Amino acid sequence: MSDAKQLTALQLVVILISTMIGVGIVLMPRELANEVDSPDLWISIIFGAIAISVISIIYVLLASRYPGKTFFELSPLIMGKSLGFFFNLYYILYSLIVAAYIMRITAGIIKNYLLDTTPLYVIIGTFILVSFYLLSNGAGDVVRFFQLYFPVMLFMFFVLCLLSIKDVDIQNVRPVLKNDFLSTLGGVKITFFSFLGVEFLLIFASLIKKKRVKSLLFTVWTSIGITALIYVIFHIISIGVLGVAELKEITFPTIELAKSIEFQGFFFERFELIFLFGWLTTAFTSFTAYAFSMTLGLKRLIKPSNWMLLISAAGIFTATLLPKGLTEVFHYSAYIQIISLIAIVALPAILLIVSFFRGDSYAS
Amino acid sequence: MHHKILLSGLVLVLLAGCWDSKEIENVGIVTGLALDVSEESSLSMVNQYVVPGKIPTQQESSNQEAPYQNIQINGESFFEIIRENSLESNRPPNYTHLKSILTSTRLFEKERVDQVIDLFIRDHEFRRTVPVFITGDSVEDIFSTEPTKELFPSIQIKELSENYFKNNKIPRNLSIGDMSQKISEETNFVIPGISLEDGFIKSSGAGVISAEESKYAGWIPSENIEGLRFIYNNVQGGYIDIVEEKIDQGPVVLEIKDSKTEYDTTLSGNTLTMKITIHISSVLGEDWGMERNVYKKGWKGKVEAAGNQVIKDKVEQVIRMAQKDFKIDFLDFSKRVKIQQPKYWKQHGKDWNNTFKDIDVSVEVKTKITDFGTQNFNSN
């Protein structure tokens, strides 16, 4: 298989959106409903999008100052060998943890809704095997896979929205903007993390042609904008169908939403099964992106790199099976948020500041 | 080459199949569930299984045995009861095609609603769309009554509400998902009622569930459902029957084509007043008066006014019922106040049950007659 040499702007948008939309879309409605506790919770998503848009400027500046360099090449270059090593190690661990988190939630959903008696390790094992088979051929194939399934994913969400509209009770969404504004703003704590994945601009950087800051920023912001739009529409429909009070109590609100669609005596009588297959691809793309970032980092960190795929797969497999149940997984998510905050905000910001001080730039 | 053949063989053997597969012949499909209390232990449950062999085909004449089997089991929890089914039948119950859940007033007098439905919203096999009904009669009798059109009593119950857009005495179906939503929102709600009359399953009235105790609070008779539906703003059709005493040249029947209920709450000081305006668009359906000339202007006014009065009486009766007899708000007024007076709600929402009894509600009905049909006698 030939490897891709360069990404077009559209491919970049597809990668970023596929990575951002993952397990967040099935978990966020409940977390957000608990945090905001008013029908205004979709406004928090817009605030979250704005916050991540500001953060994404760091990545764009880094990517344009050091064209073609991934995060793992950047950190030793800017911070020096030993500090850079720790930066990379941290980033690899971060990728591992997020990948395991995505995997565990996905496995929980598969077990809850699809394969009731299949052991957890079989579900996780097959999922990881398929993902690493994709990774074994390099970044080009990952990108092509994302491109192939992107329309499927969009179509699935579109169909879900379309079929849910008749159940939307607009009274559930009202009153708009009459609620506690501070708690709406506080929802950013949750919505911000649903945009995790923008940092992959730095991971796929080796495939990005040298571009002007403006056009790169435009691409990134477009991806964030589209993702935010999908989230907002989805949340409004979720509130409309289920109501805020009910959202707080359902484990996987989005799938329950799909489950409440029913056409008697028709193929769609159990729509959630069809929806789940569409959603699984989005979970798969998110997972694959993080697994890719982990293997990429490991290959750079330790040489020879032949066994890195197997080591990463085993690492993720073990980490996924660590929590005893979904309660523990949800409990860990608070720590994961702190870890990711350091990985996607603090580290790139330090890199950028130091690089400014050193004044070196490869952009000519 | 050998490797590839071996690999293909392995893939065929290992991947063709499903870990969780169940043979469809061995699955006991349940179309209906009936929940009740029993004397000897706390709970009782009737599962209505499909017996595929007895479903009549088109060629065969009727006069067959019923194509369903009811298994009634008592127990301490519903989960236990479901598992106890294995003592009587080797086909494990499968609820993915459940069509209705029938509950009884006795059950909800004794047990809390939120506790009863816990299993049915927690388990992934149950769908959120399954409608729930309540009855004061014996659930077992209803599930054994020979249905008029359908093969299964449990499906008959559900389909009774199919004409809810033509007859306003039928309450709209309440799915278990809606029920769970009402419970989370801590609002009172009504469950459509079913009764057994002269050996027939009939839709009749509705049972009120109070949010505070999560228990059965009382029955709304059939004739009050229409007023309730105008308040819920889910009237799409139906008719207005204006009897002879209400109008000269009567009786007159107006067919409702469309209806919309608007709420307006105003806050003056600390007292809340609510104004309900119902806009009805209707056509002349049946006219027993021979003197009306629909081709001349001015015939509508009296009929419209009489129609307004009929609906207004019905709606006011339901509101009186909620405020004076039940003393709880099953009319969803709380939702309107929450939306229109969010500040007031934040202060007094907790005390809504006390406030609700005394709020001043005025009802205005605006009926419009838009059409009179294809022919009219005596149009001279």
Side-chain angles (χ1 to χ4, degrees):
Chain A
M1 285 277 164
S2 65
D3 219 345
K5 293 282 180 298
Q6 221 139 63
L7 292 181
T8 60
L10 185 70
Q11 279 175 319
L12 192 62
V13 170
V14 168
I15 290 173
L16 292 182
I17 294 177
S18 310
T19 332
M20 278 189 268
I21 299 180
V23 293
I25 204 156
V26 292
L27 292 181
M28 194 164 56
R30 175 168 48 85
E31 289 168 356
L32 204 52
N34 273 314
E35 180 71 38
V36 180
D37 197 13
S38 80
D40 278 351
L41 56 86
W42 55 273
I43 295 168
S44 305
I45 298 171
I46 297 170
F47 291 133
I50 293 169
I52 199 86
S53 301
V54 174
I55 300 295
S56 68
I57 297 173
I58 301 175
Y59 313 135
V60 171
L61 284 179
L62 273 176
S64 61
R65 279 173 79 85
Y66 304 91
K69 293 267 185 290
T70 65
F71 179 87
F72 300 110
E73 292 161 315
L74 274 180
S75 44
L77 198 69
I78 298 173
M79 301 304 293
K81 259 212 164 132
S82 50
L83 255 181
F85 176 82
F86 281 113
F87 269 46
N88 284 353
L89 194 65
Y90 186 87
Y91 203 88
I92 290 165
L93 278 177
Y94 155 74
S95 301
L96 168 78
I97 289 167
V98 175
Y101 177 73
I102 295 172
M103 184 69 253
R104 185 55 195 252
I105 300 279
T106 311
I109 290 170
I110 295 176
K111 220 172 145 48
N112 251 312
Y113 289 95
L114 294 173
L115 306 170
D116 196 18
T117 52
T118 310
L120 199 62
Y121 60 84
V122 175
I123 297 171
I124 293 169
T126 43
F127 207 92
I128 291 178
L129 267 180
V130 178
S131 171
F132 275 79
Y133 175 60
L134 177 62
L135 287 180
S136 65
N137 272 323
D141 283 10
V142 176
V143 173
R144 271 190 290 271
F145 180 86
F146 282 21
Q147 254 183 305
L148 183 65
Y149 277 95
F150 187 67
V152 176
M153 176 195 100
L154 281 191
F155 178 73
M156 227 42 178
F157 286 128
F158 181 70
V159 170
L160 180 59
C161 291
L162 214 62
L163 294 179
S164 301
I165 279 176
K166 75 174 168 57
D167 294 328
V168 170
D169 179 4
I170 204 74
Q171 304 299 340
N172 284 337
V173 190
R174 294 173 69 194
V176 178
L177 280 175
K178 289 245 178 75
N179 307 295
D180 188 9
F181 184 75
L182 275 180
S183 70
T184 309
L185 197 63
V188 172
K189 275 189 287 200
I190 289 170
T191 54
F192 180 80
F193 295 100
S194 64
F195 292 98
L196 275 188
V198 185
E199 75 274 17
F200 277 82
L201 186 69
L202 292 178
I203 301 298
F204 285 95
S206 58
L207 298 175
I208 298 168
K209 207 167 34 165
K210 190 169 77 77
K211 274 184 193 153
R212 279 182 301 129
V213 177
K214 240 187 190 169
S215 75
L216 203 54
L217 204 58
F218 179 74
T219 316
V220 173
W221 283 359
T222 311
S223 333
I224 295 174
I226 295 172
T227 312
L229 187 72
I230 292 174
Y231 280 154
V232 166
I233 293 173
F234 232 76
H235 278 74
I236 291 177
I237 287 176
S238 297
I239 307 164
V241 174
L242 299 168
V244 177
E246 184 80 342
L247 276 185
K248 285 198 250 176
E249 279 154 30
I250 300 177
T251 322
F252 304 114
T254 309
I255 297 168
E256 255 354 272
L257 183 74
K259 215 173 154 183
S260 54
I261 294 169
E262 192 178 63
F263 292 95
Q264 283 296 319
F266 188 54
F267 180 62
F268 269 146
E269 192 165 321
R270 295 189 67 189
F271 175 74
E272 85 270 17
L273 292 182
I274 305 160
F275 171 75
L276 270 173
F277 290 119
W279 176 77
L280 275 180
T281 43
T282 73
F284 183 81
T285 49
S286 295
F287 173 78
T288 308
Y290 282 96
F292 173 73
S293 137
M294 185 185 170
T295 51
L296 194 75
L298 273 180
K299 276 181 187 165
R300 191 138 288 278
L301 204 65
I302 309 159
K303 291 203 164 122
S305 54
N306 296 347
W307 291 91
M308 286 313 131
L309 272 179
L310 269 180
I311 292 174
S312 324
I316 293 174
F317 185 74
T318 323
T320 308
L321 284 173
L322 272 183
K324 287 195 188 70
L326 278 180
T327 315
E328 281 81 18
V329 180
F330 293 142
H331 179 70
Y332 289 141
S333 73
Y335 300 108
I336 293 174
Q337 289 185 348
I338 299 168
I339 293 170
S340 40
L341 208 56
I342 296 171
I344 71 165
V345 181
L347 296 191
I350 294 171
L351 284 181
L352 187 67
I353 292 165
V354 172
S355 121
F356 269 131
F357 274 114
R358 294 178 64 157
D360 57 2
S361 163
Y362 284 69
S364 48
Chain B
M1 196 60 207
H2 285 293
H3 276 101
K4 276 186 184 164
I5 293 169
L6 195 72
L7 193 73
S8 320
L10 270 179
V11 164
L12 268 177
V13 173
L14 290 178
L15 294 184
C18 179
W19 200 294
D20 288 32
S21 69
K22 267 183 220 146
E23 292 305 323
I24 196 159
E25 287 87 357
N26 294 333
V27 173
I29 291 173
V30 177
T31 56
L33 266 186
L35 315 174
D36 204 346
V37 283
S38 69
E39 272 110 48
E40 58 260 42
S41 56
S42 57
L43 301 168
S44 138
M45 184 183 200
V46 184
N47 279 301
Q48 186 155 79
Y49 285 89
V50 180
V51 183
K54 288 182 189 154
I55 294 177
T57 51
Q58 280 185 329
Q59 283 85 18
E60 279 176 287
S61 57
S62 50
N63 251 348
Q64 272 222 341
E65 277 179 87
Y68 55 84
Q69 180 192 13
N70 290 337
I71 296 184
Q72 193 258 338
I73 295 174
N74 299 333
E76 298 299 322
S77 73
F78 291 121
F79 201 89
E80 180 198 341
I81 295 174
I82 290 173
R83 291 295 194 254
E84 292 286 308
N85 270 287
S86 305
L87 300 179
E88 287 191 39
S89 160
N90 70 327
R91 298 184 306 165
N94 180 295
Y95 295 101
T96 45
H97 297 278
L98 192 66
K99 294 289 181 261
S100 64
I101 296 176
L102 182 63
T103 59
S104 77
T105 51
R106 291 172 299 279
L107 175 69
F108 289 148
E109 270 163 9
K110 202 175 151 208
E111 304 289 341
R112 285 179 66 94
V113 179
D114 45 4
Q115 290 169 346
V116 167
I117 72 160
D118 179 79
L119 169 70
F120 309 106
I121 52 168
R122 188 182 298 279
D123 199 286
H124 69 99
E125 217 173 271
F126 293 95
R127 310 189 58 79
R128 291 182 70 83
T129 43
V130 182
V132 182
F133 299 93
I134 192 166
T135 182
D137 298 321
S138 150
V139 291
E140 266 190 282
D141 288 351
I142 290 179
F143 263 25
S144 327
T145 308
E146 197 191 333
T148 46
K149 178 186 148 231
E150 294 295 330
L151 292 170
F152 303 94
S154 49
I155 297 179
Q156 167 95 4
I157 292 171
K158 178 187 180 176
E159 308 218 317
L160 280 179
S161 62
E162 248 174 29
N163 277 334
Y164 76 92
F165 58 91
K166 285 187 181 160
N167 188 325
N168 288 327
K169 283 183 181 148
I170 306 172
R172 268 186 94 160
N173 274 358
L174 174 87
S175 74
I176 194 146
D178 297 336
M179 206 165 149
S180 153
Q181 190 181 337
K182 299 275 187 198
I183 292 171
S184 328
E185 282 167 0
E186 290 169 12
T187 52
N188 311 296
F189 60 97
V190 298
I191 306 178
I194 295 288
S195 73
L196 208 55
E197 277 170 39
D198 311 323
F200 288 105
I201 299 171
K202 272 196 167 166
S203 162
S204 78
V208 180
I209 303 292
S210 97
E212 209 171 351
E213 295 130 25
S214 202
K215 290 227 169 99
Y216 172 72
W219 194 265
I220 307 171
S222 216
E223 59 264 24
N224 289 110
I225 298 295
E226 188 169 4
L228 191 64
R229 287 192 51 184
F230 274 108
I231 293 172
Y232 285 161
N233 190 20
N234 61 23
V235 174
Q236 292 171 353
Y239 60 91
I240 308 172
D241 198 3
I242 308 169
V243 291
E244 220 164 342
E245 294 88 65
K246 293 269 169 71
I247 190 163
D248 42 314
Q249 294 290 326
V252 177
V253 179
L254 297 176
E255 186 188 354
I256 300 171
K257 287 292 178 191
D258 194 25
S259 162
K260 197 172 170 232
T261 309
E262 277 168 359
Y263 285 82
D264 192 22
T265 48
T266 41
L267 192 64
S268 58
N270 221 357
T271 41
L272 204 64
T273 47
M274 189 176 256
K275 189 168 181 255
I276 302 175
T277 317
I278 302 171
H279 302 270
I280 299 172
S281 147
S282 67
V283 301
L284 191 61
E286 186 177 345
D287 188 2
W288 287 70
M290 285 292 145
E291 312 272 291
R292 237 178 302 278
N293 187 350
V294 296
Y295 301 113
K296 274 204 185 126
K297 227 177 148 182
W299 66 275
K300 285 179 184 171
K302 272 187 183 166
V303 186
E304 284 174 347
N308 289 347
Q309 197 54 45
V310 170
I311 298 299
K312 190 178 169 182
D313 287 348
K314 283 184 175 167
V315 172
E316 278 178 343
Q317 201 183 343
V318 176
I319 295 173
R320 241 190 337 267
M321 210 167 138
Q323 287 187 321
K324 299 287 166 312
D325 305 342
F326 283 87
K327 297 195 171 67
I328 54 171
D329 169 26
F330 55 83
L331 308 173
D332 272 353
F333 283 179
S334 57
K335 212 166 193 171
R336 315 284 170 179
V337 178
K338 206 187 280 180
I339 290 168
Q340 294 178 348
Q341 307 288 347
K343 273 194 193 125
Y344 176 86
W345 182 258
K346 219 164 257 174
Q347 289 166 0
H348 301 277
K350 289 234 156 49
D351 201 29
W352 180 242
N353 264 349
N354 280 327
T355 330
F356 168 73
K357 284 183 299 202
D358 307 316
I359 53 167
D360 189 19
V361 187
S362 61
V363 181
E364 195 186 347
V365 185
K366 289 176 179 168
T367 311
K368 275 213 170 69
I369 300 174
T370 56
D371 207 349
F372 49 78
T374 49
Q375 195 183 346
N376 194 60
F377 287 124
N378 256 7
S379 55
N380 44 342

